[in-house]
Amino acid sequence: MPVSRPAAVLVVQHEEEAGAGIVGERLARGGLRLDVVRAWEGEPLPDGLGGHAGLLVLGGSVNCEDDAAAPWLPVTRALVREAVATEVPLLGICLGGQIVAHALGGSVAPRPRAPEVGAVPLRRLPAATGDPVLGGLPDGALAVQWHWDDVDRLPPGGVPLLTGDACAHQAFRVGAAAWAVQFHPEADGETVAQWAAEDGGRIREAGLDPAAAVASVRDAEPVLRAVWGTVAEAWGAVVGAFADPRR
């Protein structure tokens, strides 16, 4: 009797220090296989999503429209559009969320003021009620922020789910099974410390304290792991349902 393989999620990783982290841990714990493409190292992305029950597009420092710096972006955008058209569950994180917005007709712009960094509270919007991924998120939940650009216009049909004081579009859904977030549900304190070591100069130039941003994440890490681990499991359940041959 043949042994069935676990449902697979295609993971687009843009740089070394921006892996799947907490989200990846929870997806793997839930029985999903992560097919990680290390795009910045030249690993090719597939032409389509055949064989994959989900698409996870991670964060990174490149601009979502900079195809010269990241020549894999056009293929990533095509995969995003395919996922939405075929209702393959999709999750875009930070840069990944910006790619989702841009690929589907929204827009992304540099933040007019300082970057948003550290652990920041989010607010639920009415459409979050009943959402299969973010519906259980408590109002005021902390999320890791580390971005210099924002989604400034949602794509047609985009449904806003979460917002914040310094960034309007913190999470949105498109269609039945595509989610995009501006924050980093995958990141822990160690990851943010690595980002601060790389970006500290730029953060200080903007009048912010990178050490304080790191400390805010480290202090909140137990709660971050619990809250965003649960959200990752909820998205994983959507992937599992899509992969179920009985559906």
Side-chain angles (χ1 to χ4, degrees):
M1 185 174 180
V3 177
S4 61
R5 302 182 71 196
V9 173
L10 177 64
V11 182
V12 182
Q13 184 172 344
H14 302 282
E15 57 189 52
E16 181 69 41
E17 306 300 340
I22 294 168
V23 171
E25 292 169 7
R26 291 299 187 98
L27 295 178
R29 188 185 303 175
L32 296 172
R33 187 180 85 245
L34 304 184
D35 291 346
V36 181
V37 177
R38 298 164 67 87
W40 82 97
E41 290 191 340
E43 293 182 359
L45 287 165
D47 294 332
L49 291 171
H52 290 100
L55 173 63
L56 174 61
V57 185
L58 298 174
S61 56
V62 69
N63 182 276
C64 71
E65 300 181 52
D66 194 348
D67 296 355
W72 59 89
L73 288 178
V75 178
T76 304
R77 288 193 288 268
L79 291 170
V80 164
R81 289 189 285 265
E82 179 186 346
V84 173
T86 58
E87 296 188 354
V88 172
L90 163 66
L91 177 59
I93 290 175
C94 199
L95 169 61
Q98 295 168 2
I99 292 171
V100 171
H102 179 247
L104 300 178
S107 61
V108 177
R111 288 177 57 79
R113 296 176 295 279
E116 189 176 32
V117 296
V120 174
L122 304 179
R123 296 195 303 278
R124 290 168 56 96
L125 294 172
T129 301
D131 183 84
V133 172
L134 294 169
L137 188 74
D139 196 43
L142 293 174
V144 176
Q145 306 285 353
W146 206 269
H147 61 106
W148 276 254
D149 297 331
D150 289 340
V151 174
D152 67 337
R153 179 169 54 85
L154 294 182
V159 178
L161 300 173
L162 301 175
T163 190
D165 291 340
C167 175
H169 301 307
Q170 287 284 1
F172 64 92
R173 185 183 67 244
V174 180
W179 288 265
V181 301
Q182 181 56 79
F183 50 92
H184 286 277
E186 85 290 4
D188 59 13
E190 182 58 33
T191 299
V192 172
Q194 293 170 348
W195 295 344
E198 297 171 359
D199 295 334
R202 284 202 297 164
I203 292 171
R204 282 186 287 271
E205 287 174 3
L208 301 176
D209 180 357
V214 173
S216 72
V217 175
R218 289 198 188 279
D219 290 345
E221 186 166 330
V223 173
L224 294 169
R225 284 187 172 276
V227 168
W228 299 111
T230 299
V231 168
E233 289 174 355
W235 185 76
V238 176
V239 174
F242 178 86
D244 190 337
R246 297 169 295 178
R247 72 184 182 93

